[in-house]
Amino acid sequence: MGKRIDPHCSAYQKAIDLLARPWTGLILSLLQDGPLRFSELEEGTRGVGAKTLSARLKELEAQRIVERHVQAGPPVRVQY
């Protein structure tokens, strides 16, 4: 039998809470094949406002799930 996950485990609960946030799964699926610029993520997440997309990316970055790279410009480009 496989190992069972304790539903009271705080790491498990944090992961579930993060993945349950609107649009998080879509964002992660888009990034699965490699880095994308913010504008490319905006295109792939039609229906998600820039403010919401930015907030989700900041949450994922804070949890160290995605990395944010700033490329010197002009124009300055941000890649996740």
Side-chain angles (χ1 to χ4, degrees):
M1 261 197 228
K3 206 173 192 184
R4 296 195 72 176
I5 296 174
D6 179 1
H8 302 290
C9 174
S10 64
Y12 173 78
Q13 190 60 50
K14 278 174 90 173
I16 294 301
D17 290 344
L18 183 65
L19 290 172
R21 304 273 306 169
W23 310 113
T24 300
L26 176 60
I27 293 166
L28 292 176
S29 70
L30 290 170
L31 291 170
Q32 192 171 329
D33 292 329
L36 293 172
R37 293 192 322 263
F38 185 85
S39 60
E40 294 170 322
L41 284 167
E42 263 185 315
E43 257 181 52
T45 57
R46 293 190 192 272
V48 180
K51 187 175 176 180
T52 301
L53 178 58
S54 180
R56 290 298 166 272
L57 287 167
K58 285 179 185 176
E59 289 172 358
L60 292 169
E61 184 182 6
Q63 294 298 318
R64 300 172 70 182
I65 294 171
V66 300
E67 290 182 357
R68 180 178 188 261
H69 298 279
V70 179
Q71 299 170 335
V76 174
R77 293 181 181 190
V78 178
Q79 195 174 47
Y80 294 91

